[in-house]
Amino acid sequence: MDDFPPILLRIAREFLGLSQDDVEVIFGTSRKTIQRAERGDKAVSSHLFAHLKLFYEKHGIEFVPPAGERGWGVFNVNVKDASTGLNNLGDIPLSRRKKTAEPARSGPMNASKNSNT
């Protein structure tokens, strides 16, 4: 991880308007692993950390290294023009965790409960 602060991964994800669930689906690693990488957990391989960083860079994030008295910075090149969105990823498939609303059930089980008089 060198001197790169892991919290910048979270900032980059949020700058792209992505949830951890979104990154899980797009990047193909578990949400728990993404959480651990964002916390700087030593159990996360430097290879995975570097790939997450590269993933964000590929989608418009620029990590700005410290200069002079200033610390690290994060820039989203997708928003340098007001007419563009936070990212260029298009439609993101739903995560397995995101549930759609279930329709109200009607059928023999519900009908029998309502017919008891």
Side-chain angles (χ1 to χ4, degrees):
M1 280 191 262
D2 300 327
D3 293 334
F4 185 87
I7 189 68
L8 294 182
L9 291 178
R10 178 179 175 190
I11 294 168
R13 175 180 53 78
E14 291 176 350
F15 271 16
L16 289 173
L18 301 174
S19 69
Q20 290 174 337
D21 289 334
D22 294 333
V23 176
E24 174 185 42
V25 170
I26 297 166
F27 190 71
T29 193
S30 75
R31 182 173 181 245
K32 188 171 228 64
T33 300
I34 294 161
Q35 290 171 339
R36 290 190 342 239
E38 290 179 356
R39 285 194 313 259
D41 189 323
K42 302 292 183 204
V44 176
S45 74
S46 58
H47 178 73
L48 177 67
F49 188 87
H51 273 81
L52 271 172
K53 185 175 177 243
L54 184 62
F55 168 77
Y56 293 131
E57 289 171 335
K58 187 176 181 181
H59 292 288
I61 294 297
E62 181 181 332
F63 296 102
V64 183
E69 297 291 319
R70 296 180 184 199
W72 280 92
V74 179
F75 182 73
N76 185 345
V77 299
N78 297 307
V79 295
K80 67 181 175 186
D81 177 3
S83 66
T84 59
L86 292 176
N87 65 59
N88 57 5
L89 293 164
D91 292 333
I92 300 168
L94 286 177
S95 167
R96 293 178 302 226
R97 294 183 214 311
K98 292 184 180 177
K99 298 190 182 202
T100 58
E102 289 186 30
R105 295 181 188 212
S106 62
M109 294 294 284
N110 290 338
S112 65
K113 289 181 184 175
N114 294 333
S115 64
N116 290 342
T117 50

